Amino acid sequence: MGFRPCLVRSAADSEIEKITLGHPLLDDYLVFVAARARVNTWLAVAYDLKVFFEVVGKEPAVVTAADVFAFLSAQRAPRRGERVVRLEDGEAGLAARTIARRLSSVRGLYGYLCAREDTGVHRNPVPASLAARRPGARRGRGGVPLIRTPRTLPRVLAPAEVDALRAALRTHRDRAMVDAMVLGGLRRCEVLGLRLEDLSAGERRLFVAEGKGGRQRVVPVSARVFAAVGAYLESERPAAAATRQVFVVLKGARRGQPLSAAGLDEILDGARSRAGLERASCHQLRHTCFTRLREAGMALEAIQAQAGHASIESTRLYLHLANGWLEEEYLRAAGAIEAQAALPAGEASR
């Protein structure tokens, strides 16, 4: 008999406390995920599993690799006609990154079920990749991924676009949040997670208590950020707010409660529309920050620390976004090559 999931969220005081899909094994796994991941990741995993089992329609213990490939085909099926594909990844169905994330969520579930050894699942049906074509290749090397995700460069905002966006914001709170992202490089969750005790105005620093991967860091930020935060705390933040979170709801039934991710996105979408901009997401503001810092000559290692990247490879992205740096490096090298070529044959060989 097939299994049809039903995603149910239980919340208290606007905080999600429990997510279930109506199957004991899946619900146990969601409890496991909740203990080690952020709420957004928790929700994403739950939704990915819901989609997978809606398509497959089987009990977890009887899912096979063939079912996984059938799911992959269903996700890649054209959504808007056979001839309509995205320029970004050439896909006609869901975005490659979305499909890869869903496969990762399912693979994580089966890794957990295999590790338990009491679920009837002894093999992960989601292969990490297809076998390498070269005979004798080492396991895990040279395999073909199930889904190829494009390595695209993120878009950043021009200085005029940042100014237009900031001018379209209506409160000191909103300007403080945007400044923290575009001048300090904070992630959306890091901005919303700031507590009053995390602010160090005298040193112009912020303490990020819950960065990505659970990493903490102290980051310097511009005086403009603290000016906006100070104006917000003095004139807008409700004195009766019971939370220690810096940024709270200013109006309505939830006045004084922590601002949600959806609330911040709504604020940014409204400002973007008023400013006449096509795009302006929280992540684009963060990318804009590090691109401008790199263009201004900030060392890559310093940007890594500011960004909270676990690997310098993540930070190298900003070498490609900082066009001025690339142009200067090219002109310097090209000039040296041309000067060498212009020398007489005898001098060039010395």
Side-chain angles (χ1 to χ4, degrees):
M1 189 172 183
F3 163 58
R4 296 294 175 183
C6 179
L7 197 156
V8 178
R9 293 179 288 185
S10 303
D13 296 328
S14 74
E15 294 286 335
I16 296 178
E17 293 187 336
K18 189 177 182 180
I19 303 176
T20 60
L21 288 170
H23 191 286
L25 293 180
L26 271 60
D27 293 345
D28 285 350
Y29 178 61
L30 290 177
V31 171
F32 173 75
V33 172
R36 59 191 298 270
R38 290 185 173 278
V39 172
N40 287 346
T41 302
W42 187 22
L43 279 169
V45 169
Y47 184 75
D48 291 343
L49 296 179
K50 174 180 181 292
V51 172
F52 178 78
F53 284 102
E54 280 179 341
V55 173
V56 172
K58 289 184 175 182
E59 285 286 326
V62 297
V63 170
T64 65
D67 295 320
V68 173
F69 283 107
F71 172 75
L72 180 58
S73 296
Q75 299 296 285
R76 300 187 67 176
R79 293 299 198 263
R80 298 185 179 181
E82 295 285 345
R83 297 178 178 272
V84 181
V85 298
R86 281 182 302 280
L87 294 177
E88 177 185 278
D89 55 13
E91 291 284 341
L94 290 178
R97 287 192 177 92
T98 300
I99 301 173
R101 190 200 70 206
R102 289 180 177 172
L103 289 177
S104 177
S105 295
V106 178
R107 186 181 299 116
L109 164 69
Y110 279 98
Y112 166 82
L113 296 179
C114 289
R116 276 185 44 164
E117 297 183 343
D118 66 346
T119 62
V121 177
H122 306 292
R123 187 170 180 269
N124 197 322
V126 187
S129 64
L130 300 180
R133 295 178 180 177
R134 293 182 292 108
R138 292 177 59 186
R139 185 182 181 89
R141 299 285 184 87
V144 180
L146 295 188
I147 184 78
R148 289 189 180 276
T149 55
R151 296 178 65 86
T152 55
L153 293 177
R155 300 177 183 179
V156 300
L157 275 64
E161 291 176 318
V162 173
D163 291 341
L165 179 69
R166 198 171 184 276
L169 297 167
R170 291 172 169 169
T171 66
H172 294 299
R173 178 201 64 184
D174 300 347
R175 282 187 284 276
M177 292 189 295
V178 166
D179 284 348
M181 290 182 280
V182 81
L183 295 176
L186 269 66
R187 300 178 176 90
R188 178 181 64 178
C189 63
E190 293 171 348
V191 170
L192 296 175
L194 285 175
R195 303 162 301 181
L196 295 173
E197 56 267 31
D198 296 334
L199 307 177
S200 182
E203 297 178 331
R204 294 183 184 174
R205 293 179 178 178
L206 297 175
F207 175 65
V208 179
E210 294 185 17
K212 188 174 181 178
R215 291 181 292 275
Q216 298 182 340
R217 68 187 191 279
V218 176
V219 295
V221 293
S222 166
R224 193 170 87 178
V225 177
F226 279 103
V229 170
Y232 155 66
L233 294 177
E234 183 178 348
S235 61
E236 294 175 353
R237 191 177 191 273
T243 181
R244 299 296 295 171
Q245 305 299 112
V246 174
F247 298 112
V248 300
V249 178
L250 301 181
K251 297 179 181 179
R254 295 190 63 250
R255 185 173 186 268
Q257 295 183 31
L259 186 67
S260 66
L264 176 50
D265 287 343
E266 184 178 344
I267 290 167
L268 203 57
D269 286 344
R272 175 192 53 75
S273 179
R274 291 190 294 273
L277 302 177
E278 289 187 7
R279 292 189 177 186
S281 67
C282 294
H283 219 57
Q284 282 179 319
L285 295 177
R286 173 174 159 86
H287 285 312
T288 299
C289 171
F290 300 132
T291 301
R292 301 297 173 237
L293 290 176
R294 179 58 217 175
E295 288 176 337
M298 188 171 180
L300 207 59
E301 292 80 7
I303 295 177
Q304 179 188 7
Q306 182 85 19
H309 288 157
S311 169
I312 193 69
E313 293 305 315
S314 299
T315 317
R316 292 188 193 282
L317 165 74
Y318 302 104
L319 290 177
H320 302 286
L321 294 179
N323 293 325
W325 171 84
L326 179 58
E327 182 179 0
E328 289 174 7
E329 289 295 299
Y330 169 77
L331 292 176
R332 179 189 60 77
I337 293 171
E338 290 171 0
Q340 189 76 4
L343 291 174
E347 294 185 29
S349 61
R350 291 178 185 174

